[in-house]
Amino acid sequence: MFRGRFLALFLLAALIEGCTCCAYLNHMFNAERLYDEATELRQARLDSVPDETMSYPSGEESQKYEKVIEKGSRVLERFPKNKTRTAEAVFLIAESYRHKSDWPKAITKYDEYERYFADNDSMRAVEYQRAYCLYRNQEFNISRFALEPVVANKNHPYYFQGLNLLSLLDEKSEAPEQAIAALEAVLADTSGTPYMKGKAHFRLAGLYYKMEQWEKAHHHYNAKEIENLNDRERQTAGEQSAECLVNMKDYLKAADEFKQLYKVEAYEKKRPHYLVRIGETTLLAGRNADAYVIFNKVNSEYAKTEHSSRCYFNMGDYEQNKTLNYDLAMSYYDSSYIARSISEYAQKARDRRNALRRLVSMREKNEDILQSKDSIPDMKSFFKNEFMIAELFLLKLSEADSAVARLTNVIEKSDDTASVMRAAYARAFIYDEFLHDPDTAEELYKEIIEKYPNTDYAKQAQVNLGMNVTMKTQEDEARDRYMAAESLWTVASEMPASKMDLVDSAYANAFAAFDSVYKEYPQTQSGIQALYMKAIYFQMTPDRMDSAVAIYRDLRDKHGTTAWGKRAAYVLNTRLTTTDDDIARLRKRTAQTIESLDKKSAKYYEELNAKPEEKKADIISKEDEILENTYNSMYDFE
């Protein structure tokens, strides 16, 4: 009997253990199955984007990772003391959070894994993935610290990934040289996998591209290990490689590389873009006939698209800048706008078309002025139009050279000094800011300083050259003289009572100083202000009030737009302005008031002169007595 009971207990324990084991296997099996399904979705998503850092899990993928986290959490709840089972669950949960881009929670789980399961086989992966999550969470310094055990050992399974991450950290710290050194170390190590070397070439090329070292970037984009990357990265490498050749001005080779991209079936969606770039690089190489054939191919096969709009814009730009056929250029610009009116190139084309129309109109006006039968042509209008044409060339048509030619024409032929100074400064500024020719700009700025000293243009030329500003314009000189006169006025106004005999002479000295400022600089702001102070001086003496009024009127009439002219107008007319209608309404109200007062006055005196009459008291008889409706009257007492 004892043996039978023991056997039953043994079988029960085995059954319980078996059920527990089955529960664990069920949860982990489902978690791993869901994780594998989510991984397939993730891989498909990453294959369709050039940069995985810019892509995030979709709804279905995210839900599967959530279920993995749920299953793993159940394992932790039911088997907290089983280190093997809990380690697998924690790792799956951390990985799921990482793939969901929930970096803080992933970091927390990776820390938990290291704290309790540091001797587990997955610890090597945890070291790298935690450093990566810290990097994505913008914790760069801590990420660099967490990455140390990965890059310290060449035998670490994530050593090359660690070097790549280290280069990213160096790039974030604005140290591209260190990032390049880390990636060069990956390429120099013979034990690296072809895929990791391809990633290193890709990253190195991107760094050199940002640094505008086109030759080195082109070399790394064409490394044979690039073939081991996914389609999107190979496509990006091919595009950037061709753009490097464009920046190196090797246009025909760039066109050939774009042709190779055009032939790849996997890049079919970007074929119209590649056709446009083939046409643009061919045009830059000087083979405009071939370029037009390619542009027309795009316009026929991809009509009413942004690509077609871009091709028409390029054709208009060529006709505008190379052949100077403005009518044909405007026609192409119109076609660009019609092809895709909401595109960027359509908007540019419309602006160019409008600018060309204005340009043609002003050129015709200038031709009419020169061919006029008048004995004296209106050269002022002519040179004004020349300025406007130069402005259109520079700001609307992106033709700085044409703008310089127009301004040079104004400088050489105009007799108006103000126009010549303005054109000279504008030409120097264009060389400085638009043509990026500092030597020519410096020479022109110095010429302005020498020919037109003590002008605003010379003063600004010194500023642009980084020189000490020594030039003083008339406005500057007038301001200095005015400040000196104002100091004399302040001294006179602050004299003590004991020196009253000197006050008149002090004010007279200040007046003489203000008078000299106005006489020498009558059109400057300080000169106008000095004239106003003269009026103040006259206003202080009643005998000279007429002189003050005369100056105020002069300020109001000649300088009414200035602050002092407006102040003078206010002094001369301190009352509100009234119209004839206002006066008529005021007179009507006054008459009505007088009439009302007369009536009330007559009634008052009439009542005052009348004899007083005795008032009779009103007696109410009992028959007419009215009972109050008070509280007591509501009840009927017999």
Side-chain angles (χ1 to χ4, degrees), residues 586-597:
L586 181 61
R587 287 174 176 172
K588 184 176 180 180
R589 284 199 301 270
T590 304
Q592 291 173 346
T593 303
I594 294 173
E595 183 180 355
S596 177
L597 288 174

Side-chain angles (χ1 to χ4, degrees), residues 84-191:
T84 303
R85 297 170 182 175
T86 52
E88 293 176 0
V90 171
F91 184 75
L92 271 182
I93 292 172
E95 290 288 279
S96 298
Y97 279 130
R98 177 171 67 87
H99 293 320
K100 287 185 66 200
S101 301
D102 195 342
W103 314 117
K105 290 183 179 179
I107 293 166
T108 301
K109 282 300 176 182
Y110 284 132
D111 289 342
E112 181 181 335
Y113 192 96
E114 183 180 13
R115 189 179 303 116
Y116 298 110
F117 316 109
D119 55 346
N120 199 280
D121 295 339
S122 299
M123 187 59 210
R124 295 294 188 89
V126 168
E127 289 175 342
Y128 170 76
Q129 299 297 2
R130 179 178 53 186
Y132 178 78
C133 290
L134 287 165
Y135 161 75
R136 292 299 303 275
N137 203 41
Q138 307 292 314
E139 300 179 53
F140 303 126
N141 292 331
I142 303 176
S143 175
R144 185 184 294 274
F145 176 76
L147 195 60
E148 287 180 359
V150 179
V151 297
N153 182 8
K154 288 189 176 182
N155 296 322
H156 197 290
Y158 288 86
Y159 173 72
F160 294 105
Q161 290 93 327
L163 288 178
N164 187 57
L165 179 57
L166 185 62
S167 69
L168 290 171
L169 290 168
D170 289 332
E171 189 176 350
K172 289 293 182 181
S173 64
E174 298 182 358
E177 294 80 8
Q178 296 180 15
I180 290 171
L183 292 168
E184 292 286 5
V186 176
L187 297 176
D189 198 308
T190 57
S191 60

Side-chain angles (χ1 to χ4, degrees), residues 462-476:
Q462 285 187 323
V463 173
N464 294 348
L465 289 173
M467 302 169 59
N468 291 328
V469 180
T470 57
M471 295 292 175
K472 282 193 174 184
T473 64
Q474 280 202 332
E475 190 67 56
D476 296 329

Side-chain angles (χ1 to χ4, degrees), residues 196-476:
M196 285 306 303
K197 287 183 179 293
K199 293 289 286 187
H201 278 296
F202 189 78
R203 290 272 296 109
L204 266 174
L207 288 171
Y208 283 127
Y209 192 91
K210 289 180 181 178
M211 297 168 66
E212 298 184 0
Q213 296 186 21
W214 313 119
E215 188 173 352
K216 291 183 178 180
H218 181 262
H219 168 72
H220 285 286
Y221 276 132
N222 287 276
K224 63 179 181 178
E225 289 85 357
I226 292 290
E227 294 298 323
N228 297 294
L229 304 181
N230 60 38
D231 287 343
R232 291 294 298 172
E233 289 173 327
R234 291 200 305 272
Q235 182 180 9
T236 302
E239 292 173 357
Q240 297 292 78
S241 173
E243 295 297 343
C244 287
L245 289 173
V246 172
N247 289 309
M248 293 162 63
K249 301 187 184 305
D250 198 345
Y251 301 120
L252 291 179
K253 286 186 177 179
D256 291 338
E257 291 200 3
F258 280 119
K259 289 177 184 177
Q260 294 299 322
L261 292 169
Y262 178 81
K263 295 176 182 177
V264 179
E265 292 291 336
Y267 310 154
E268 184 178 2
K269 290 184 179 180
K270 295 202 70 175
R271 278 184 173 177
H273 170 72
Y274 296 145
L275 269 180
V276 173
R277 291 302 287 143
I278 292 168
E280 289 173 343
T281 50
T282 304
L283 189 64
L284 289 171
R287 296 167 58 176
N288 57 295
D290 295 336
Y292 269 50
V293 171
I294 298 170
F295 287 148
N296 288 322
K297 177 181 175 65
V298 175
N299 294 334
S300 60
E301 295 183 3
Y302 305 98
K304 301 294 183 180
T305 64
E306 184 175 355
H307 307 293
S308 175
S309 176
R310 181 171 177 176
C311 287
Y312 279 123
F313 178 85
N314 289 328
M315 296 163 78
D317 183 72
Y318 179 81
E319 298 297 338
Q320 172 196 324
N321 292 291
K322 300 299 182 181
T323 67
L324 303 181
N325 190 340
Y326 291 152
D327 292 332
L328 184 56
M330 285 190 285
S331 176
Y332 281 131
Y333 286 144
D334 285 334
S335 299
S336 175
Y337 184 78
I338 294 171
R340 189 70 173 173
S341 60
I342 62 173
S343 68
E344 175 188 357
Y345 288 94
Q347 300 300 319
K348 290 181 179 179
R350 183 175 61 178
D351 292 341
R352 290 259 186 116
R353 178 201 60 191
N354 294 338
L356 281 177
R357 284 180 178 175
R358 290 180 58 197
L359 173 64
V360 171
S361 175
M362 284 186 287
R363 285 175 60 181
E364 291 176 352
K365 288 180 180 178
N366 276 1
E367 290 175 0
D368 292 340
I369 291 173
L370 294 177
Q371 296 174 3
S372 175
K373 297 180 180 180
D374 297 337
S375 57
I376 303 176
D378 187 3
M379 298 307 294
K380 184 177 181 180
S381 298
F382 175 85
F383 289 117
K384 181 181 179 181
N385 290 337
E386 288 292 292
F387 267 111
M388 294 178 68
I389 291 173
E391 183 180 356
L392 285 174
F393 274 129
L394 179 65
L395 302 178
K396 296 295 184 180
L397 301 174
S398 302
E399 294 186 40
D401 292 331
S402 299
V404 168
R406 291 286 173 171
L407 293 172
T408 303
N409 185 44
V410 174
I411 294 168
E412 293 175 353
K413 296 182 179 180
S414 177
D415 295 330
D416 183 13
T417 305
S419 298
V420 172
M421 286 192 296
R422 180 186 174 193
Y425 178 81
R427 183 177 63 175
F429 186 79
I430 291 172
Y431 274 108
D432 189 10
E433 296 294 331
F434 291 89
L435 295 177
H436 306 291
D437 187 350
D439 296 333
T440 305
E442 181 179 358
E443 181 181 347
L444 293 174
Y445 280 137
K446 288 181 177 179
E447 183 180 344
I448 292 170
I449 295 171
E450 181 180 353
K451 286 186 176 180
Y452 313 109
N454 299 325
T455 62
D456 288 325
Y457 298 108
K459 184 178 178 181
Q460 189 59 43
Q462 285 187 323
V463 173
N464 294 348
L465 289 173
M467 302 169 59
N468 291 328
V469 180
T470 57
M471 295 292 175
K472 282 193 174 184
T473 64
Q474 280 202 332
E475 190 67 56
D476 296 329

Side-chain angles (χ1 to χ4, degrees), residues 394-627:
L394 179 65
L395 302 178
K396 296 295 184 180
L397 301 174
S398 302
E399 294 186 40
D401 292 331
S402 299
V404 168
R406 291 286 173 171
L407 293 172
T408 303
N409 185 44
V410 174
I411 294 168
E412 293 175 353
K413 296 182 179 180
S414 177
D415 295 330
D416 183 13
T417 305
S419 298
V420 172
M421 286 192 296
R422 180 186 174 193
Y425 178 81
R427 183 177 63 175
F429 186 79
I430 291 172
Y431 274 108
D432 189 10
E433 296 294 331
F434 291 89
L435 295 177
H436 306 291
D437 187 350
D439 296 333
T440 305
E442 181 179 358
E443 181 181 347
L444 293 174
Y445 280 137
K446 288 181 177 179
E447 183 180 344
I448 292 170
I449 295 171
E450 181 180 353
K451 286 186 176 180
Y452 313 109
N454 299 325
T455 62
D456 288 325
Y457 298 108
K459 184 178 178 181
Q460 189 59 43
Q462 285 187 323
V463 173
N464 294 348
L465 289 173
M467 302 169 59
N468 291 328
V469 180
T470 57
M471 295 292 175
K472 282 193 174 184
T473 64
Q474 280 202 332
E475 190 67 56
D476 296 329
E477 293 174 357
R479 187 181 301 109
D480 293 342
R481 294 278 298 276
Y482 178 85
M483 295 300 294
E486 190 177 44
S487 64
L488 294 175
W489 185 276
T490 303
V491 170
S493 62
E494 293 179 353
M495 277 191 172
S498 58
K499 298 182 179 180
M500 289 300 294
D501 54 331
L502 302 176
V503 170
D504 291 339
S505 60
Y507 274 118
N509 291 334
F511 173 81
F514 284 128
D515 185 53
S516 65
V517 172
Y518 176 69
K519 286 180 178 178
E520 294 185 30
Y521 310 99
Q523 298 302 320
T524 63
Q525 291 296 312
S526 297
I528 298 169
Q529 191 174 2
L531 181 62
Y532 180 81
M533 292 304 297
K534 287 178 62 179
I536 294 292
Y537 174 79
F538 285 133
Q539 194 175 354
M540 293 170 60
T541 306
D543 296 341
R544 297 180 176 179
M545 189 61 70
D546 293 339
S547 299
V549 171
I551 292 176
Y552 281 138
R553 286 175 179 167
D554 193 28
L555 284 167
R556 181 192 62 187
D557 297 338
K558 294 182 180 179
H559 311 288
T561 58
T562 65
W564 316 111
K566 293 176 181 178
R567 180 64 183 172
Y570 176 79
V571 172
L572 290 172
N573 185 18
T574 56
R575 294 179 298 178
L576 294 175
T577 303
T578 56
T579 63
D580 293 339
D581 292 338
D582 294 333
I583 294 174
R585 283 194 295 270
L586 181 61
R587 287 174 176 172
K588 184 176 180 180
R589 284 199 301 270
T590 304
Q592 291 173 346
T593 303
I594 294 173
E595 183 180 355
S596 177
L597 288 174
D598 290 342
K599 289 181 179 179
K600 291 179 180 180
S601 178
K603 184 177 179 181
Y604 171 77
Y605 285 110
E606 182 180 352
E607 292 178 354
L608 183 64
N609 297 328
K611 294 181 179 180
E613 297 179 359
E614 295 181 358
K615 293 183 180 182
K616 297 181 179 180
D618 296 332
I619 301 174
I620 301 175
S621 61
K622 289 185 178 182
E623 290 80 2
D624 299 330
E625 184 178 1
I626 300 174
L627 297 177

